[in-house]
Amino acid sequence: MPVSCWTPRPRKVQQVTTPLWIELDGVVNMRDVGGLPTTDGGQVATGRLLRSDNLQDLTEADIDDLVERVGVTDIVDLRSNVELQLEGPGPLRAHNLTHHHHSLFRDDVRAVTAEEALVLPWSKKDQAAADADPRLDDDYWASHYLGYLAHRPDSVSAALQVVSQSRGATIVHCAAGKDRTGTVVGLALSVAGVSDEHIVADYVATGERIERVVARLMARPAYGEVLAGQPMDHHRPKPQTMQRILSVLTEQYGGAAGWLSAQGWSEEDITALRDSLRG
């Protein structure tokens, strides 16, 4: 049976950097971002937005916990088409939840082979491409995150629309729950009015469990060979990476809300996303 520590209660301001981990048997990096303070004295609502590593190993008890107690209604899957093919549909597909697949990989806009498409941020092939081509940013990971915004704004925008319109809690996940998930969640929190400092703190919280995250992925068919031999420090989230993303959004768009406006969101749409996260 899972040992769950999640309870729908707000955190005090002095405890905002303590993640609301959701302890289940089938994931190691799931947490509720509720309780984070906003700059106007409010806070993000609990039971609205959860972030997670991949959901392939969830048990029936885990699923019952998420659906019945946490109130999950929507799943946003940011993995590539090829990841889905290699990993299979996952146990949540058999349940009455709404699934939304929004890949952040550029190659998923056209048909490609598995070898071409499965270029994960930590893969050797991706590192070779990084060495050969101009980067979007000097920070290796920030370059990836900015790439998601530049090459798949449709998917980032669609993922945030799900959060805005969900009738219950939304789980946003990818493989590790760090990079693609971190980008989407970072934008959502920024629109909700969370300070950059607290968005960065939420992002780096994955570092508390990065060894377990990598160990989980090593056992999965889509990731084991790609991860073999990678140093652990390569995967550990660093504050300057998320700081860089937030700075670029501010410099180029006036913030995350401005980026959404550039994607065609109306003021009413942006307000709806903000309100959905504020409860």
Side-chain angles (χ1 to χ4, degrees):
M1 292 293 292
V3 178
S4 299
C5 70
W6 187 93
T7 52
R9 62 182 184 276
R11 289 174 289 195
K12 295 180 181 179
V13 172
Q14 66 266 29
Q15 297 174 322
V16 292
T17 56
T18 302
L20 285 177
W21 296 109
I22 299 178
E23 304 291 358
L24 301 172
D25 291 335
V27 295
V28 298
N29 191 26
M30 182 181 287
R31 58 190 184 271
D32 189 330
V33 300
L36 289 171
T38 55
T39 56
D40 62 358
Q43 65 179 16
V44 177
T46 54
R48 288 296 302 155
L49 178 57
L50 280 58
R51 55 180 298 165
S52 183
D53 48 340
N54 80 77
L55 308 177
Q56 298 301 111
D57 299 326
L58 290 176
T59 67
E60 285 300 316
D62 292 340
I63 294 169
D64 287 344
D65 213 22
L66 291 171
V67 174
E68 300 300 329
R69 189 171 57 81
V70 181
V72 172
T73 59
D74 290 78
I75 309 297
V76 174
D77 187 342
L78 302 176
R79 296 174 300 166
S80 69
N81 292 330
V82 172
E83 285 172 273
L84 291 181
Q85 293 169 12
L86 293 175
E87 291 287 309
L92 278 174
R93 284 286 179 179
H95 293 260
N96 187 29
L97 302 174
T98 305
H99 293 260
H100 314 263
H101 178 219
H102 298 298
S103 170
L104 297 194
F105 283 6
R106 175 169 48 182
D107 282 344
D108 272 356
V109 300
R110 62 184 178 85
V112 293
T113 66
E115 182 181 2
E116 291 175 316
L118 195 58
V119 183
L120 299 171
W122 51 78
S123 70
K124 296 180 178 66
K125 181 176 178 181
D126 178 74
Q127 183 61 66
D131 293 340
D133 297 330
R135 306 300 286 164
L136 291 163
D137 196 87
D138 290 338
D139 183 297
Y140 176 84
W141 289 107
S143 180
H144 280 289
Y145 304 170
L146 293 172
Y148 304 148
L149 300 178
H151 303 312
R152 293 308 306 266
D154 55 327
S155 287
V156 175
S157 180
L160 291 171
Q161 286 175 338
V162 173
V163 176
S164 175
Q165 298 168 6
S166 170
R167 68 184 187 278
T170 299
I171 300 176
V172 176
H173 80 95
C174 51
K178 175 174 75 79
D179 307 310
R180 292 168 282 186
T181 296
T183 302
V184 170
V185 171
L187 265 68
L189 293 176
S190 185
V191 170
V194 177
S195 70
D196 288 2
E197 176 187 4
H198 289 101
I199 295 171
V200 170
D202 173 70
Y203 167 70
V204 300
T206 292
E208 298 179 24
R209 301 191 171 197
I210 195 63
E211 290 84 1
R212 294 169 62 190
V213 170
V214 172
R216 264 200 82 216
L217 293 177
M218 286 287 290
R220 301 298 313 175
Y223 313 111
E225 183 178 351
V226 173
L227 285 167
Q230 291 286 333
M232 190 61 63
D233 192 58
H234 178 61
H235 307 292
R236 199 175 306 279
K238 297 175 176 60
Q240 59 266 29
T241 299
M242 184 55 64
Q243 289 167 349
R244 178 60 181 154
I245 303 310
L246 297 169
S247 295
V248 169
L249 286 170
T250 298
E251 292 162 5
Q252 297 187 4
Y253 300 97
W259 183 86
L260 286 175
S261 294
Q263 312 314 311
W265 284 49
S266 67
E267 285 298 322
E268 291 76 14
D269 295 332
I270 295 169
T271 298
L273 174 59
R274 181 180 299 114
D275 290 347
S276 74
L277 290 166
R278 299 285 290 267

